[in-house]
Amino acid sequence: MAVTASDAEPMPGQRKRKRQQRDETRRAADRFAPETGRWEMLFETQDELEWREYIRRLRASDTQIDWSAARVDTFCGRLMQPTTYRLSLFVRDGGPHQGTLV
C-alpha cells in the first residue's frame, strides 16, 4: 500500500514553525490594530533611486525609528501609471506616547 502526501506525518519542526508564524501574525494584527493607532506616510516618490537613497540615509541617521513598525508599500503602475514607493510608520493613539512614532 502506497503512502500519499495526505497520509504522511508533517516534516520535523513544521508544526512548530507554522504555530510560530500564526502567533506572529496574530501579534502583529493586535499591535497594528486600527483602534491602537494609525499609519502615517513618511515619504513617497516615483523615483526608485531617490527611494533607495532616502531609506539608506534614514537608516544611517535616525536610530529612533522602530523598523518593525514601518511599512513599505510599492504600488505597481504598469503602463498607465508610474510605480510609486511609499514609507509609512505606525503612530500610536492615546496614552503616554500619543503622537510619537513606534
Side-chain angles (χ1 to χ4, degrees):
M1 177 178 194
V3 176
T4 63
S6 62
D7 295 336
E9 290 291 320
M11 295 292 292
Q14 185 176 11
R15 197 172 288 147
K16 178 181 177 183
R17 186 171 43 254
K18 285 186 177 187
R19 185 177 54 249
Q20 288 172 337
Q21 289 172 342
R22 196 172 42 248
D23 292 347
E24 178 60 32
T25 300
R26 194 173 296 124
R27 279 192 299 274
D30 292 343
R31 182 177 178 200
F32 302 122
E35 59 273 4
T36 63
R38 66 194 177 286
W39 290 98
E40 285 192 1
M41 184 180 63
L42 186 61
F43 182 73
E44 182 178 62
T45 185
Q46 293 176 347
D47 182 355
E48 185 176 3
L49 293 176
E50 180 184 16
W51 166 252
R52 291 181 185 275
E53 179 62 21
Y54 181 82
I55 295 292
R56 187 190 65 73
R57 281 194 326 262
L58 191 61
R59 283 188 182 269
S61 67
D62 195 342
T63 58
Q64 299 299 316
I65 291 179
D66 175 9
W67 288 98
S68 68
R71 186 176 73 189
V72 175
D73 297 310
T74 303
F75 302 103
C76 297
R78 310 270 187 219
L79 300 174
M80 301 299 287
Q81 301 278 25
T83 299
T84 302
Y85 306 92
R86 180 184 294 168
L87 174 66
S88 302
L89 295 175
F90 192 75
V91 178
R92 290 200 178 278
D93 288 337
H97 302 291
Q98 184 171 1
T100 60
L101 299 176
V102 174

